[in-house]
PDB file of all heavy atoms in Angstrom:
ATOM      1  N   VAL A  44       3.273   5.819  12.609  1.00 97.00           N
ATOM      2  CA  VAL A  44       3.500   5.839  14.044  1.00 97.00           C
ATOM      3  C   VAL A  44       4.855   6.485  14.368  1.00 97.00           C
ATOM      4  O   VAL A  44       5.758   6.496  13.521  1.00 97.00           O
ATOM      5  CB  VAL A  44       3.441   4.421  14.632  1.00 97.00           C
ATOM      6  CG1 VAL A  44       2.048   3.834  14.461  1.00 97.00           C
ATOM      7  CG2 VAL A  44       4.483   3.504  13.994  1.00 97.00           C
ATOM      8  N   PRO A  49       6.808  -1.898  21.150  1.00 98.00           N
ATOM      9  CA  PRO A  49       6.619  -2.406  22.518  1.00 98.00           C
ATOM     10  C   PRO A  49       7.816  -3.288  22.931  1.00 98.00           C
ATOM     11  O   PRO A  49       8.328  -4.047  22.113  1.00 98.00           O
ATOM     12  CB  PRO A  49       5.334  -3.218  22.443  1.00 98.00           C
ATOM     13  CG  PRO A  49       4.628  -2.710  21.232  1.00 98.00           C
ATOM     14  CD  PRO A  49       5.681  -2.262  20.277  1.00 98.00           C
ATOM     15  N   ASP A  89      -7.626 -12.613  18.591  1.00 98.00           N
ATOM     16  CA  ASP A  89      -8.341 -11.580  17.825  1.00 98.00           C
ATOM     17  C   ASP A  89      -9.766 -12.014  17.472  1.00 98.00           C
ATOM     18  O   ASP A  89     -10.593 -11.156  17.170  1.00 98.00           O
ATOM     19  CB  ASP A  89      -7.584 -11.234  16.543  1.00 98.00           C
ATOM     20  CG  ASP A  89      -6.353 -10.358  16.837  1.00 98.00           C
ATOM     21  OD1 ASP A  89      -6.232  -9.872  17.967  1.00 98.00           O
ATOM     22  OD2 ASP A  89      -5.509 -10.191  15.920  1.00 98.00           O
ATOM     23  N   ALA A 217     -10.042  -3.791   8.794  1.00 98.00           N
ATOM     24  CA  ALA A 217     -10.149  -3.500  10.233  1.00 98.00           C
ATOM     25  C   ALA A 217      -8.779  -3.139  10.807  1.00 98.00           C
ATOM     26  O   ALA A 217      -8.465  -3.468  11.948  1.00 98.00           O
ATOM     27  CB  ALA A 217     -10.743  -4.703  10.962  1.00 98.00           C
ATOM     28  N   ALA A 218      -7.995  -2.429  10.006  1.00 98.00           N
ATOM     29  CA  ALA A 218      -6.622  -2.094  10.429  1.00 98.00           C
ATOM     30  C   ALA A 218      -6.578  -1.243  11.714  1.00 98.00           C
ATOM     31  O   ALA A 218      -5.570  -1.225  12.396  1.00 98.00           O
ATOM     32  CB  ALA A 218      -5.894  -1.345   9.308  1.00 98.00           C
ATOM     33  N   TYR A 219      -7.709  -0.587  12.019  1.00 98.00           N
ATOM     34  CA  TYR A 219      -7.709   0.327  13.167  1.00 98.00           C
ATOM     35  C   TYR A 219      -8.542  -0.206  14.345  1.00 98.00           C
ATOM     36  O   TYR A 219      -8.916   0.540  15.207  1.00 98.00           O
ATOM     37  CB  TYR A 219      -8.200   1.717  12.733  1.00 98.00           C
ATOM     38  CG  TYR A 219      -7.269   2.321  11.683  1.00 98.00           C
ATOM     39  CD1 TYR A 219      -7.517   2.169  10.322  1.00 98.00           C
ATOM     40  CD2 TYR A 219      -6.127   3.006  12.059  1.00 98.00           C
ATOM     41  CE1 TYR A 219      -6.649   2.675   9.367  1.00 98.00           C
ATOM     42  CE2 TYR A 219      -5.249   3.542  11.106  1.00 98.00           C
ATOM     43  CZ  TYR A 219      -5.523   3.357   9.774  1.00 98.00           C
ATOM     44  OH  TYR A 219      -4.659   3.882   8.832  1.00 98.00           O
ATOM     45  N   GLU A 220      -8.856  -1.509  14.331  1.00 98.00           N
ATOM     46  CA  GLU A 220      -9.771  -2.048  15.370  1.00 98.00           C
ATOM     47  C   GLU A 220      -9.216  -1.868  16.775  1.00 98.00           C
ATOM     48  O   GLU A 220      -9.987  -1.764  17.726  1.00 98.00           O
ATOM     49  CB  GLU A 220     -10.156  -3.494  15.087  1.00 98.00           C
ATOM     50  CG  GLU A 220      -9.036  -4.533  15.179  1.00 98.00           C
ATOM     51  CD  GLU A 220      -8.611  -4.913  16.576  1.00 98.00           C
ATOM     52  OE1 GLU A 220      -9.462  -4.955  17.471  1.00 98.00           O
ATOM     53  OE2 GLU A 220      -7.400  -5.156  16.760  1.00 98.00           O
ATOM     54  N   ALA A 221      -7.883  -1.830  16.940  1.00 98.00           N
ATOM     55  CA  ALA A 221      -7.319  -1.701  18.291  1.00 98.00           C
ATOM     56  C   ALA A 221      -7.684  -0.382  18.956  1.00 98.00           C
ATOM     57  O   ALA A 221      -7.551  -0.226  20.173  1.00 98.00           O
ATOM     58  CB  ALA A 221      -5.794  -1.836  18.238  1.00 98.00           C
ATOM     59  N   PHE A 222      -8.187   0.574  18.168  1.00 98.00           N
ATOM     60  CA  PHE A 222      -8.531   1.878  18.727  1.00 98.00           C
ATOM     61  C   PHE A 222      -9.954   1.911  19.278  1.00 98.00           C
ATOM     62  O   PHE A 222     -10.366   2.922  19.851  1.00 98.00           O
ATOM     63  CB  PHE A 222      -8.326   2.993  17.674  1.00 98.00           C
ATOM     64  CG  PHE A 222      -6.867   3.192  17.361  1.00 98.00           C
ATOM     65  CD1 PHE A 222      -6.192   2.310  16.517  1.00 98.00           C
ATOM     66  CD2 PHE A 222      -6.151   4.217  17.946  1.00 98.00           C
ATOM     67  CE1 PHE A 222      -4.829   2.461  16.254  1.00 98.00           C
ATOM     68  CE2 PHE A 222      -4.788   4.394  17.707  1.00 98.00           C
ATOM     69  CZ  PHE A 222      -4.140   3.515  16.853  1.00 98.00           C
ATOM     70  N   ARG A 246      -6.339  -7.216   8.655  1.00 98.00           N
ATOM     71  CA  ARG A 246      -5.824  -6.632   9.910  1.00 98.00           C
ATOM     72  C   ARG A 246      -4.342  -6.315   9.739  1.00 98.00           C
ATOM     73  O   ARG A 246      -3.674  -6.865   8.867  1.00 98.00           O
ATOM     74  CB  ARG A 246      -5.981  -7.641  11.052  1.00 98.00           C
ATOM     75  CG  ARG A 246      -7.410  -7.980  11.435  1.00 98.00           C
ATOM     76  CD  ARG A 246      -7.959  -6.968  12.400  1.00 98.00           C
ATOM     77  NE  ARG A 246      -9.241  -7.427  12.924  1.00 98.00           N
ATOM     78  CZ  ARG A 246      -9.430  -7.895  14.162  1.00 98.00           C
ATOM     79  NH1 ARG A 246      -8.419  -8.032  15.006  1.00 98.00           N
ATOM     80  NH2 ARG A 246     -10.642  -8.279  14.548  1.00 98.00           N
ATOM     81  N   SER A 247      -3.835  -5.503  10.659  1.00 98.00           N
ATOM     82  CA  SER A 247      -2.459  -5.070  10.563  1.00 98.00           C
ATOM     83  C   SER A 247      -1.872  -4.859  11.946  1.00 98.00           C
ATOM     84  O   SER A 247      -2.577  -4.459  12.859  1.00 98.00           O
ATOM     85  CB  SER A 247      -2.422  -3.750   9.786  1.00 98.00           C
ATOM     86  OG  SER A 247      -1.139  -3.209   9.848  1.00 98.00           O
ATOM     87  N   PHE A 248      -0.583  -5.132  12.078  1.00 98.00           N
ATOM     88  CA  PHE A 248       0.112  -4.810  13.330  1.00 98.00           C
ATOM     89  C   PHE A 248       0.697  -3.387  13.277  1.00 98.00           C
ATOM     90  O   PHE A 248       1.285  -2.931  14.249  1.00 98.00           O
ATOM     91  CB  PHE A 248       1.242  -5.829  13.590  1.00 98.00           C
ATOM     92  CG  PHE A 248       0.711  -7.214  13.849  1.00 98.00           C
ATOM     93  CD1 PHE A 248       0.575  -8.144  12.830  1.00 98.00           C
ATOM     94  CD2 PHE A 248       0.312  -7.583  15.138  1.00 98.00           C
ATOM     95  CE1 PHE A 248       0.070  -9.413  13.060  1.00 98.00           C
ATOM     96  CE2 PHE A 248      -0.215  -8.858  15.385  1.00 98.00           C
ATOM     97  CZ  PHE A 248      -0.322  -9.775  14.352  1.00 98.00           C
ATOM     98  N   SER A 249       0.507  -2.706  12.156  1.00 98.00           N
ATOM     99  CA  SER A 249       1.138  -1.391  11.970  1.00 98.00           C
ATOM    100  C   SER A 249       0.727  -0.393  13.027  1.00 98.00           C
ATOM    101  O   SER A 249       1.555   0.265  13.647  1.00 98.00           O
ATOM    102  CB  SER A 249       0.790  -0.817  10.577  1.00 98.00           C
ATOM    103  OG  SER A 249       1.549  -1.448   9.598  1.00 98.00           O
ATOM    104  N   LYS A 250      -0.579  -0.245  13.212  1.00 97.00           N
ATOM    105  CA  LYS A 250      -1.073   0.790  14.119  1.00 97.00           C
ATOM    106  C   LYS A 250      -1.278   0.223  15.498  1.00 97.00           C
ATOM    107  O   LYS A 250      -1.219   0.922  16.495  1.00 97.00           O
ATOM    108  CB  LYS A 250      -2.359   1.433  13.557  1.00 97.00           C
ATOM    109  CG  LYS A 250      -2.324   1.713  12.046  1.00 97.00           C
ATOM    110  CD  LYS A 250      -1.386   2.852  11.655  1.00 97.00           C
ATOM    111  CE  LYS A 250      -0.951   2.781  10.199  1.00 97.00           C
ATOM    112  NZ  LYS A 250      -1.729   3.409   9.183  1.00 97.00           N
ATOM    113  N   THR A 251      -1.564  -1.085  15.578  1.00 97.00           N
ATOM    114  CA  THR A 251      -1.792  -1.751  16.869  1.00 97.00           C
ATOM    115  C   THR A 251      -0.521  -1.819  17.687  1.00 97.00           C
ATOM    116  O   THR A 251      -0.542  -1.662  18.897  1.00 97.00           O
ATOM    117  CB  THR A 251      -2.248  -3.210  16.587  1.00 97.00           C
ATOM    118  OG1 THR A 251      -3.328  -3.182  15.695  1.00 97.00           O
ATOM    119  CG2 THR A 251      -2.616  -3.926  17.858  1.00 97.00           C
ATOM    120  N   ALA A 252       0.615  -2.078  17.009  1.00 98.00           N
ATOM    121  CA  ALA A 252       1.850  -2.342  17.741  1.00 98.00           C
ATOM    122  C   ALA A 252       3.025  -1.567  17.186  1.00 98.00           C
ATOM    123  O   ALA A 252       4.177  -1.901  17.459  1.00 98.00           O
ATOM    124  CB  ALA A 252       2.145  -3.841  17.701  1.00 98.00           C
ATOM    125  N   GLY A 253       2.753  -0.538  16.377  1.00 98.00           N
ATOM    126  CA  GLY A 253       3.834   0.307  15.862  1.00 98.00           C
ATOM    127  C   GLY A 253       4.702  -0.359  14.820  1.00 98.00           C
ATOM    128  O   GLY A 253       5.891  -0.082  14.707  1.00 98.00           O
ATOM    129  N   PHE A 254       4.100  -1.237  13.989  1.00 98.00           N
ATOM    130  CA  PHE A 254       4.868  -2.026  13.027  1.00 98.00           C
ATOM    131  C   PHE A 254       4.946  -1.388  11.632  1.00 98.00           C
ATOM    132  O   PHE A 254       5.218  -2.101  10.663  1.00 98.00           O
ATOM    133  CB  PHE A 254       4.215  -3.401  12.870  1.00 98.00           C
ATOM    134  CG  PHE A 254       4.686  -4.442  13.859  1.00 98.00           C
ATOM    135  CD1 PHE A 254       4.843  -4.154  15.209  1.00 98.00           C
ATOM    136  CD2 PHE A 254       4.973  -5.749  13.447  1.00 98.00           C
ATOM    137  CE1 PHE A 254       5.262  -5.131  16.113  1.00 98.00           C
ATOM    138  CE2 PHE A 254       5.393  -6.722  14.337  1.00 98.00           C
ATOM    139  CZ  PHE A 254       5.531  -6.419  15.669  1.00 98.00           C
ATOM    140  N   THR A 255       4.724  -0.088  11.488  1.00 98.00           N
ATOM    141  CA  THR A 255       4.709   0.451  10.113  1.00 98.00           C
ATOM    142  C   THR A 255       6.044   0.230   9.416  1.00 98.00           C
ATOM    143  O   THR A 255       6.092   0.022   8.208  1.00 98.00           O
ATOM    144  CB  THR A 255       4.341   1.949  10.053  1.00 98.00           C
ATOM    145  OG1 THR A 255       5.219   2.665  10.945  1.00 98.00           O
ATOM    146  CG2 THR A 255       2.905   2.211  10.469  1.00 98.00           C
ATOM    147  N   VAL A 306       2.885  -9.650  20.618  1.00 98.00           N
ATOM    148  CA  VAL A 306       1.776  -8.721  20.819  1.00 98.00           C
ATOM    149  C   VAL A 306       0.702  -9.378  21.688  1.00 98.00           C
ATOM    150  O   VAL A 306      -0.028  -8.705  22.440  1.00 98.00           O
ATOM    151  CB  VAL A 306       1.192  -8.288  19.429  1.00 98.00           C
ATOM    152  CG1 VAL A 306      -0.172  -7.647  19.564  1.00 98.00           C
ATOM    153  CG2 VAL A 306       2.170  -7.384  18.712  1.00 98.00           C
ATOM    154  N   TYR A 307       0.603 -10.721  21.612  1.00 98.00           N
ATOM    155  CA  TYR A 307      -0.452 -11.442  22.319  1.00 98.00           C
ATOM    156  C   TYR A 307      -0.013 -11.978  23.676  1.00 98.00           C
ATOM    157  O   TYR A 307      -0.802 -12.654  24.352  1.00 98.00           O
ATOM    158  CB  TYR A 307      -0.973 -12.594  21.437  1.00 98.00           C
ATOM    159  CG  TYR A 307      -1.513 -12.085  20.117  1.00 98.00           C
ATOM    160  CD1 TYR A 307      -0.795 -12.236  18.932  1.00 98.00           C
ATOM    161  CD2 TYR A 307      -2.732 -11.407  20.056  1.00 98.00           C
ATOM    162  CE1 TYR A 307      -1.275 -11.765  17.730  1.00 98.00           C
ATOM    163  CE2 TYR A 307      -3.212 -10.934  18.855  1.00 98.00           C
ATOM    164  CZ  TYR A 307      -2.479 -11.101  17.691  1.00 98.00           C
ATOM    165  OH  TYR A 307      -2.967 -10.616  16.503  1.00 98.00           O
ATOM    166  N   GLY A 311       2.860  -7.968  26.205  1.00 98.00           N
ATOM    167  CA  GLY A 311       2.614  -7.334  24.893  1.00 98.00           C
ATOM    168  C   GLY A 311       1.228  -6.686  24.847  1.00 98.00           C
ATOM    169  O   GLY A 311       1.086  -5.559  24.336  1.00 98.00           O
ATOM    170  N   LYS A 312       0.238  -7.372  25.365  1.00 98.00           N
ATOM    171  CA  LYS A 312      -1.115  -6.803  25.345  1.00 98.00           C
ATOM    172  C   LYS A 312      -1.167  -5.479  26.112  1.00 98.00           C
ATOM    173  O   LYS A 312      -1.762  -4.491  25.650  1.00 98.00           O
ATOM    174  CB  LYS A 312      -2.106  -7.783  25.977  1.00 98.00           C
ATOM    175  CG  LYS A 312      -2.507  -8.917  25.061  1.00 98.00           C
ATOM    176  CD  LYS A 312      -3.499  -9.832  25.771  1.00 98.00           C
ATOM    177  CE  LYS A 312      -3.728 -11.096  24.979  1.00 98.00           C
ATOM    178  NZ  LYS A 312      -4.435 -12.135  25.711  1.00 98.00           N
ATOM    179  N   GLN A 314       1.358  -3.471  26.820  1.00 98.00           N
ATOM    180  CA  GLN A 314       2.152  -2.445  26.164  1.00 98.00           C
ATOM    181  C   GLN A 314       1.466  -1.881  24.913  1.00 98.00           C
ATOM    182  O   GLN A 314       1.520  -0.682  24.646  1.00 98.00           O
ATOM    183  CB  GLN A 314       3.533  -3.015  25.808  1.00 98.00           C
ATOM    184  CG  GLN A 314       4.394  -3.303  27.048  1.00 98.00           C
ATOM    185  CD  GLN A 314       5.516  -4.286  26.780  1.00 98.00           C
ATOM    186  OE1 GLN A 314       5.809  -4.630  25.639  1.00 98.00           O
ATOM    187  NE2 GLN A 314       6.162  -4.724  27.847  1.00 98.00           N
ATOM    188  N   CYS A 315       0.806  -2.752  24.157  1.00 98.00           N
ATOM    189  CA  CYS A 315       0.101  -2.279  22.958  1.00 98.00           C
ATOM    190  C   CYS A 315      -1.077  -1.402  23.350  1.00 98.00           C
ATOM    191  O   CYS A 315      -1.357  -0.386  22.709  1.00 98.00           O
ATOM    192  CB  CYS A 315      -0.373  -3.453  22.100  1.00 98.00           C
ATOM    193  SG  CYS A 315       0.977  -4.294  21.280  1.00 98.00           S
ATOM    194  N   ARG A 316      -1.735  -1.788  24.422  1.00 98.00           N
ATOM    195  CA  ARG A 316      -2.874  -0.985  24.854  1.00 98.00           C
ATOM    196  C   ARG A 316      -2.394   0.420  25.284  1.00 98.00           C
ATOM    197  O   ARG A 316      -3.009   1.419  24.936  1.00 98.00           O
ATOM    198  CB  ARG A 316      -3.620  -1.664  26.003  1.00 98.00           C
ATOM    199  CG  ARG A 316      -4.921  -0.982  26.295  1.00 98.00           C
ATOM    200  CD  ARG A 316      -5.855  -1.759  27.181  1.00 98.00           C
ATOM    201  NE  ARG A 316      -7.008  -0.922  27.485  1.00 98.00           N
ATOM    202  CZ  ARG A 316      -8.181  -1.026  26.897  1.00 98.00           C
ATOM    203  NH1 ARG A 316      -8.384  -1.924  25.982  1.00 98.00           N
ATOM    204  NH2 ARG A 316      -9.176  -0.216  27.237  1.00 98.00           N
ATOM    205  N   ALA A 317      -1.280   0.456  25.986  1.00 98.00           N
ATOM    206  CA  ALA A 317      -0.735   1.745  26.417  1.00 98.00           C
ATOM    207  C   ALA A 317      -0.329   2.591  25.190  1.00 98.00           C
ATOM    208  O   ALA A 317      -0.539   3.810  25.171  1.00 98.00           O
ATOM    209  CB  ALA A 317       0.480   1.501  27.324  1.00 98.00           C
ATOM    210  N   LEU A 318       0.219   1.925  24.195  1.00 98.00           N
ATOM    211  CA  LEU A 318       0.635   2.625  22.973  1.00 98.00           C
ATOM    212  C   LEU A 318      -0.578   3.250  22.276  1.00 98.00           C
ATOM    213  O   LEU A 318      -0.571   4.428  21.897  1.00 98.00           O
ATOM    214  CB  LEU A 318       1.294   1.581  22.051  1.00 98.00           C
ATOM    215  CG  LEU A 318       2.038   2.033  20.815  1.00 98.00           C
ATOM    216  CD1 LEU A 318       3.210   2.911  21.202  1.00 98.00           C
ATOM    217  CD2 LEU A 318       2.547   0.789  20.059  1.00 98.00           C
ATOM    218  N   VAL A 319      -1.615   2.444  22.113  1.00 98.00           N
ATOM    219  CA  VAL A 319      -2.819   2.933  21.444  1.00 98.00           C
ATOM    220  C   VAL A 319      -3.482   4.023  22.297  1.00 98.00           C
ATOM    221  O   VAL A 319      -3.977   5.039  21.764  1.00 98.00           O
ATOM    222  CB  VAL A 319      -3.773   1.746  21.161  1.00 98.00           C
ATOM    223  CG1 VAL A 319      -5.145   2.227  20.709  1.00 98.00           C
ATOM    224  CG2 VAL A 319      -3.165   0.840  20.106  1.00 98.00           C
ATOM    225  N   TYR A 322      -1.936   7.394  21.607  1.00 98.00           N
ATOM    226  CA  TYR A 322      -2.422   8.057  20.372  1.00 98.00           C
ATOM    227  C   TYR A 322      -3.880   8.509  20.546  1.00 98.00           C
ATOM    228  O   TYR A 322      -4.268   9.552  20.006  1.00 98.00           O
ATOM    229  CB  TYR A 322      -2.286   7.099  19.188  1.00 98.00           C
ATOM    230  CG  TYR A 322      -0.846   6.766  18.820  1.00 98.00           C
ATOM    231  CD1 TYR A 322      -0.414   5.452  18.711  1.00 98.00           C
ATOM    232  CD2 TYR A 322       0.085   7.777  18.571  1.00 98.00           C
ATOM    233  CE1 TYR A 322       0.898   5.148  18.360  1.00 98.00           C
ATOM    234  CE2 TYR A 322       1.400   7.483  18.220  1.00 98.00           C
ATOM    235  CZ  TYR A 322       1.804   6.161  18.129  1.00 98.00           C
ATOM    236  OH  TYR A 322       3.094   5.853  17.786  1.00 98.00           O
ATOM    237  N   PHE A 391      -1.116  10.340  15.145  1.00 98.00           N
ATOM    238  CA  PHE A 391       0.133   9.609  15.281  1.00 98.00           C
ATOM    239  C   PHE A 391       1.306  10.575  15.393  1.00 98.00           C
ATOM    240  O   PHE A 391       1.892  11.002  14.393  1.00 98.00           O
ATOM    241  CB  PHE A 391       0.339   8.662  14.083  1.00 98.00           C
ATOM    242  CG  PHE A 391      -0.602   7.495  14.085  1.00 98.00           C
ATOM    243  CD1 PHE A 391      -1.599   7.391  13.122  1.00 98.00           C
ATOM    244  CD2 PHE A 391      -0.511   6.512  15.062  1.00 98.00           C
ATOM    245  CE1 PHE A 391      -2.467   6.315  13.128  1.00 98.00           C
ATOM    246  CE2 PHE A 391      -1.373   5.427  15.082  1.00 98.00           C
ATOM    247  CZ  PHE A 391      -2.359   5.325  14.101  1.00 98.00           C
TER     248      PHE A 391
END
Side-chain angles (χ1 to χ4, degrees):
V44 296
D89 285 348
Y219 298 94
E220 67 76 35
F222 291 78
R246 294 275 189 106
S247 170
F248 294 93
S249 284
K250 317 290 158 88
T251 307
F254 273 44
T255 54
V306 164
Y307 301 105
K312 282 180 190 168
Q314 291 161 10
C315 289
R316 190 166 175 101
L318 191 61
V319 169
Y322 294 126
F391 290 112

